[in-house]
Structure formats: C-alpha cells, structure tokens
Amino acid sequence: MSVLTVTPLRHARAQRTGQHSHDAGQLFVVRTGTVQVQTGGTRWLVPAGCLGWVPPRCAHEADYPAAVEGEMVYVDAGGFCRRAPATLKVVRMTALTQEALARISDPAMPWRRRALYALVLADALAHAPSVAAGVPLPVDRRLRRVAEALLAMPDDAADLAVWAARAEMSRSTFIRHFRAETGLGFGEWRQQLRVWRALAMLMEGRPVTEVALTVGYRSASAFIQAFRRLHGVTPSAFADRE
C-alpha cells in the first residue's frame, strides 16, 4: 500500500470538471471554500474543514462554487481502500486526521512510516461520523430543472403548486414523481437542501441568523429546529465542533 500523490487543491470560483473516475481512491482535503461532488443521483457538499472521500472507480464530477484551497490525496486500491469507506463519505477534519495528513504529505518521511499513517487515516475515515452532506437529485428532466433552480436559489419561497406548474406537471403528479425519484416529499427535500446549503456558510463562520435567512428560513429558530433534526446538534454546535 502506498500513497500515490498528494497535490495542492486550488480552483477558482465556478470551475467544474466533467464526469470521470480514477483507479485510485481520491480524498478532497478542503481548507477554504467548498467543493460539490456529484455521484449518481446525489450531490455532496465538502465544506471547509471537511474531508471528502471518493472510492476507486466511482464516477463523479466536481464543481467549485467558490474559490477553494486544500490538498488532493490519491491512494492505490490496496490496503488503504480496503480499510476506507466503500462509498462516498464526508467527515469533519480532526486533530488525528490533520496529523496523519501532515505525515503523509512530508516528503522526508520514510515510505513505510507514511504507509502506516495512511492506514491510520483510512481507519479514521471509516469510523468518523458522517456529515449529512448529500442531497438526492431527481432524474426526470422537468424535476431536475426544479432541483437545479432551488440549488441555485434555496430561498425561493414559491409553494409546491408553483413548482409543479414550473415543471409542467399537475400537483399530484409532481408530488408522486418527486418522492419516487428522491425518496423524499418535496417539502422534506427542500428543507434538507436548505440545511445542506447552510453547511458551507456555517463552516465559514457566518452568523446563524444570516445563514438562516440566506437559505430561505423566516427565522433563526425555524432553521435551528430543521438543522437539529438532520444533524442532531444546533448550527452553532456543529460549526464549533472539532
């Protein structure tokens, strides 16, 4: 088992990759900014202070809605990947993962010691709690148009009937197909989306009330309740947690 490469992760705002995959496992180490990774029917958010793990041969595309800096770690499909999660996973950076990454990135470190630290990192990824950073996307082009519009403007307060009309569907058809394709009712999905979009702003240190209004909540208290339901903690506790 060896770490193949550790390279700088630097992208300007609004850059995007096409869909691709790697024989190696890929770890996004996001220090500043945000990375959106789409795999299959789910879009994942890797905000600053988090790690995003993409297993080998997992088709994905990356979108950089803001300038981002960090590192990219590529590892072979050997011991590391056998210990790391089998599916895409987003976790918070911790003192342990920070130290392991520093050791792996040190060119003066003997290869065998780098390999040992890489296994520590893989184990940490496997056992760390996931950040609820994924939002399912519908496949139907009309529903996808609705989803993309709300991804761009999560504070759009139009009600379900308006969105059904925009999708050129009856209200009942819209409800039925949206749940079938995402596993969620439209209102539940929109709440999950708003909390998802809030993650990056919270990690940037923006005030909870500002974040709540930006993503479409009328009050901080409503946002806090929705956030707690999804993450199990308040937005402030999430942002402060190591």
Side-chain angles (χ1 to χ4, degrees), residues 26-175:
Q26 181 179 9
L27 183 66
F28 291 89
V29 182
V30 183
R31 307 285 183 183
T32 63
T34 302
V35 180
Q36 290 184 20
V37 181
Q38 186 163 325
T39 58
T42 303
R43 187 167 295 185
W44 300 84
L45 189 74
V46 189
C50 290
L51 309 174
W53 166 248
V54 182
R57 294 174 290 280
C58 174
H60 63 282
E61 58 182 282
D63 181 21
Y64 302 92
V68 65
E69 290 192 6
E71 294 86 48
M72 195 81 80
V73 180
Y74 295 94
V75 294
D76 68 15
F80 186 105
C81 293
R82 285 194 295 271
R83 289 168 173 80
T87 58
L88 195 146
K89 186 176 183 181
V90 180
V91 304
R92 297 288 296 268
M93 271 192 258
T94 64
L96 176 62
T97 55
Q98 290 267 39
E99 182 65 18
L101 286 164
R103 300 286 181 167
I104 289 168
S105 304
D106 183 357
M109 178 75 63
W111 178 85
R112 290 185 182 278
R113 289 182 63 81
R114 292 179 74 205
L116 289 173
Y117 280 108
L119 292 180
V120 170
L121 178 59
D123 189 68
L125 287 171
H127 292 93
S130 296
V131 174
V135 60
L137 298 175
V139 175
D140 182 283
R141 61 176 179 79
R142 296 165 297 175
L143 297 179
R144 179 62 72 92
R145 191 164 66 239
V146 168
E148 294 290 349
L150 281 166
L151 282 165
M153 295 188 65
D155 60 335
D156 190 320
D159 64 18
L160 190 152
V162 172
W163 287 111
R166 291 176 182 175
E168 300 175 345
M169 293 179 171
S170 69
R171 188 176 186 277
S172 60
T173 299
F174 181 86
I175 291 171

